[in-house]
mmCIF file of all heavy atoms in Angstrom:
data_model
loop_
_atom_site.group_PDB
_atom_site.id
_atom_site.type_symbol
_atom_site.label_atom_id
_atom_site.label_comp_id
_atom_site.label_asym_id
_atom_site.label_seq_id
_atom_site.Cartn_x
_atom_site.Cartn_y
_atom_site.Cartn_z
ATOM 1 N N LEU A 3 -24.653 35.664 -21.063
ATOM 2 C CA LEU A 3 -24.486 34.228 -20.916
ATOM 3 C C LEU A 3 -23.081 33.802 -20.311
ATOM 4 O O LEU A 3 -22.852 33.009 -19.514
ATOM 5 C CB LEU A 3 -24.856 33.508 -22.130
ATOM 6 C CG LEU A 3 -24.831 32.032 -22.163
ATOM 7 C CD1 LEU A 3 -25.888 31.556 -21.307
ATOM 8 C CD2 LEU A 3 -25.094 31.424 -23.583
ATOM 9 N N HIS A 10 -21.194 30.565 -12.590
ATOM 10 C CA HIS A 10 -21.459 29.109 -12.284
ATOM 11 C C HIS A 10 -20.285 28.295 -12.030
ATOM 12 O O HIS A 10 -20.171 27.589 -11.035
ATOM 13 C CB HIS A 10 -22.253 28.524 -13.522
ATOM 14 C CG HIS A 10 -23.189 27.385 -13.196
ATOM 15 N ND1 HIS A 10 -24.414 27.486 -12.870
ATOM 16 C CD2 HIS A 10 -22.895 26.094 -13.130
ATOM 17 C CE1 HIS A 10 -24.951 26.349 -12.633
ATOM 18 N NE2 HIS A 10 -24.013 25.406 -12.751
ATOM 19 N N THR A 145 -27.237 25.088 -10.185
ATOM 20 C CA THR A 145 -28.344 25.796 -10.948
ATOM 21 C C THR A 145 -29.463 26.313 -9.991
ATOM 22 O O THR A 145 -30.128 27.271 -10.048
ATOM 23 C CB THR A 145 -28.979 24.938 -12.029
ATOM 24 O OG1 THR A 145 -29.481 23.720 -11.445
ATOM 25 C CG2 THR A 145 -28.117 24.681 -13.138
ATOM 26 N N LEU A 155 -26.052 29.930 -13.844
ATOM 27 C CA LEU A 155 -26.879 29.669 -14.985
ATOM 28 C C LEU A 155 -28.324 29.411 -14.505
ATOM 29 O O LEU A 155 -29.245 29.563 -15.329
ATOM 30 C CB LEU A 155 -26.376 28.449 -15.787
ATOM 31 C CG LEU A 155 -25.114 28.727 -16.570
ATOM 32 C CD1 LEU A 155 -24.387 27.416 -17.038
ATOM 33 C CD2 LEU A 155 -25.381 29.667 -17.727
ATOM 34 N N GLY A 156 -28.560 29.067 -13.238
ATOM 35 C CA GLY A 156 -29.923 28.854 -12.762
ATOM 36 C C GLY A 156 -30.624 30.178 -12.740
ATOM 37 O O GLY A 156 -31.951 30.115 -12.873
ATOM 38 N N THR A 157 -30.025 31.310 -12.761
ATOM 39 C CA THR A 157 -30.849 32.577 -12.931
ATOM 40 C C THR A 157 -31.740 32.673 -14.057
ATOM 41 O O THR A 157 -32.811 32.961 -14.085
ATOM 42 C CB THR A 157 -29.635 33.698 -12.943
ATOM 43 O OG1 THR A 157 -28.705 33.480 -12.021
ATOM 44 C CG2 THR A 157 -30.312 35.104 -12.729
ATOM 45 N N LEU A 158 -31.134 32.210 -15.236
ATOM 46 C CA LEU A 158 -31.803 32.204 -16.363
ATOM 47 C C LEU A 158 -32.899 31.208 -16.402
ATOM 48 O O LEU A 158 -34.162 31.530 -16.936
ATOM 49 C CB LEU A 158 -30.918 31.868 -17.651
ATOM 50 C CG LEU A 158 -29.691 32.695 -17.881
ATOM 51 C CD1 LEU A 158 -28.856 32.224 -19.045
ATOM 52 C CD2 LEU A 158 -30.280 34.079 -18.361
ATOM 53 N N ILE A 159 -32.752 30.003 -15.733
ATOM 54 C CA ILE A 159 -33.759 29.045 -15.690
ATOM 55 C C ILE A 159 -35.037 29.465 -14.875
ATOM 56 O O ILE A 159 -36.128 29.434 -15.332
ATOM 57 C CB ILE A 159 -33.200 27.661 -15.126
ATOM 58 C CG1 ILE A 159 -32.109 27.190 -16.014
ATOM 59 C CG2 ILE A 159 -34.380 26.613 -15.032
ATOM 60 C CD1 ILE A 159 -31.294 25.934 -15.491
ATOM 61 N N ARG A 169 -37.342 29.459 -24.298
ATOM 62 C CA ARG A 169 -36.066 29.790 -24.908
ATOM 63 C C ARG A 169 -35.196 30.323 -23.802
ATOM 64 O O ARG A 169 -34.019 29.971 -23.700
ATOM 65 C CB ARG A 169 -36.268 30.971 -25.898
ATOM 66 C CG ARG A 169 -36.549 30.259 -27.209
ATOM 67 C CD ARG A 169 -36.773 31.281 -28.342
ATOM 68 N NE ARG A 169 -35.665 32.152 -28.482
ATOM 69 C CZ ARG A 169 -35.656 33.317 -29.005
ATOM 70 N NH1 ARG A 169 -36.791 33.848 -29.619
ATOM 71 N NH2 ARG A 169 -34.630 34.095 -29.152
ATOM 72 N N LEU A 170 -35.720 31.148 -22.826
ATOM 73 C CA LEU A 170 -34.929 31.706 -21.744
ATOM 74 C C LEU A 170 -34.493 30.402 -20.749
ATOM 75 O O LEU A 170 -33.344 30.465 -20.341
ATOM 76 C CB LEU A 170 -35.670 32.712 -20.847
ATOM 77 C CG LEU A 170 -34.970 33.603 -20.010
ATOM 78 C CD1 LEU A 170 -33.816 34.269 -20.650
ATOM 79 C CD2 LEU A 170 -35.831 34.612 -19.317
ATOM 80 N N ILE A 171 -35.483 29.575 -20.567
ATOM 81 C CA ILE A 171 -35.210 28.338 -19.753
ATOM 82 C C ILE A 171 -33.982 27.606 -20.321
ATOM 83 O O ILE A 171 -32.990 27.267 -19.711
ATOM 84 C CB ILE A 171 -36.383 27.314 -19.556
ATOM 85 C CG1 ILE A 171 -37.465 28.154 -18.719
ATOM 86 C CG2 ILE A 171 -35.982 26.134 -18.873
ATOM 87 C CD1 ILE A 171 -38.693 27.294 -18.605
ATOM 88 N N LEU A 172 -34.153 27.303 -21.709
ATOM 89 C CA LEU A 172 -33.080 26.525 -22.393
ATOM 90 C C LEU A 172 -31.751 27.242 -22.469
ATOM 91 O O LEU A 172 -30.633 26.546 -22.398
ATOM 92 C CB LEU A 172 -33.574 26.170 -23.767
ATOM 93 C CG LEU A 172 -34.676 25.032 -23.852
ATOM 94 C CD1 LEU A 172 -35.032 24.868 -25.364
ATOM 95 C CD2 LEU A 172 -34.134 23.838 -23.242
ATOM 96 N N SER A 173 -31.784 28.570 -22.447
ATOM 97 C CA SER A 173 -30.541 29.263 -22.546
ATOM 98 C C SER A 173 -29.734 29.115 -21.251
ATOM 99 O O SER A 173 -28.492 29.299 -21.284
ATOM 100 C CB SER A 173 -30.789 30.806 -22.827
ATOM 101 O OG SER A 173 -31.322 31.378 -21.854
ATOM 102 N N GLY A 174 -30.460 28.698 -20.220
ATOM 103 C CA GLY A 174 -29.623 28.408 -18.922
ATOM 104 C C GLY A 174 -29.438 26.846 -18.871
ATOM 105 O O GLY A 174 -28.306 26.507 -18.526
ATOM 106 N N ALA A 175 -30.433 26.140 -19.202
ATOM 107 C CA ALA A 175 -30.437 24.703 -19.013
ATOM 108 C C ALA A 175 -29.350 24.066 -19.887
ATOM 109 O O ALA A 175 -28.525 23.120 -19.435
ATOM 110 C CB ALA A 175 -31.782 24.180 -19.155
ATOM 111 N N LEU A 176 -29.245 24.442 -21.145
ATOM 112 C CA LEU A 176 -28.325 23.745 -22.078
ATOM 113 C C LEU A 176 -26.889 23.997 -21.618
ATOM 114 O O LEU A 176 -26.232 23.030 -21.538
ATOM 115 C CB LEU A 176 -28.618 24.201 -23.560
ATOM 116 C CG LEU A 176 -29.777 23.429 -24.294
ATOM 117 C CD1 LEU A 176 -29.947 24.159 -25.671
ATOM 118 C CD2 LEU A 176 -29.472 22.039 -24.354
ATOM 119 N N PRO A 177 -26.486 25.217 -21.538
ATOM 120 C CA PRO A 177 -25.128 25.398 -21.106
ATOM 121 C C PRO A 177 -24.768 24.599 -19.789
ATOM 122 O O PRO A 177 -23.671 24.129 -19.618
ATOM 123 C CB PRO A 177 -24.925 26.848 -20.829
ATOM 124 C CG PRO A 177 -26.105 27.567 -21.446
ATOM 125 C CD PRO A 177 -27.190 26.592 -21.653
ATOM 126 N N ALA A 178 -25.656 24.535 -18.863
ATOM 127 C CA ALA A 178 -25.477 23.879 -17.659
ATOM 128 C C ALA A 178 -25.229 22.291 -17.823
ATOM 129 O O ALA A 178 -24.337 21.690 -17.283
ATOM 130 C CB ALA A 178 -26.555 24.124 -16.590
ATOM 131 N N ALA A 179 -26.057 21.816 -18.779
ATOM 132 C CA ALA A 179 -25.870 20.394 -19.040
ATOM 133 C C ALA A 179 -24.654 20.138 -19.793
ATOM 134 O O ALA A 179 -23.936 19.158 -19.479
ATOM 135 C CB ALA A 179 -27.145 20.011 -19.958
#
Side-chain angles (χ1 to χ4, degrees):
Chain A
L3 184 65
H10 202 95
T145 55
L155 292 164
T157 314
L158 298 174
I159 300 175
R169 279 178 54 198
L170 197 53
I171 294 176
L172 287 179
S173 72
L176 277 178

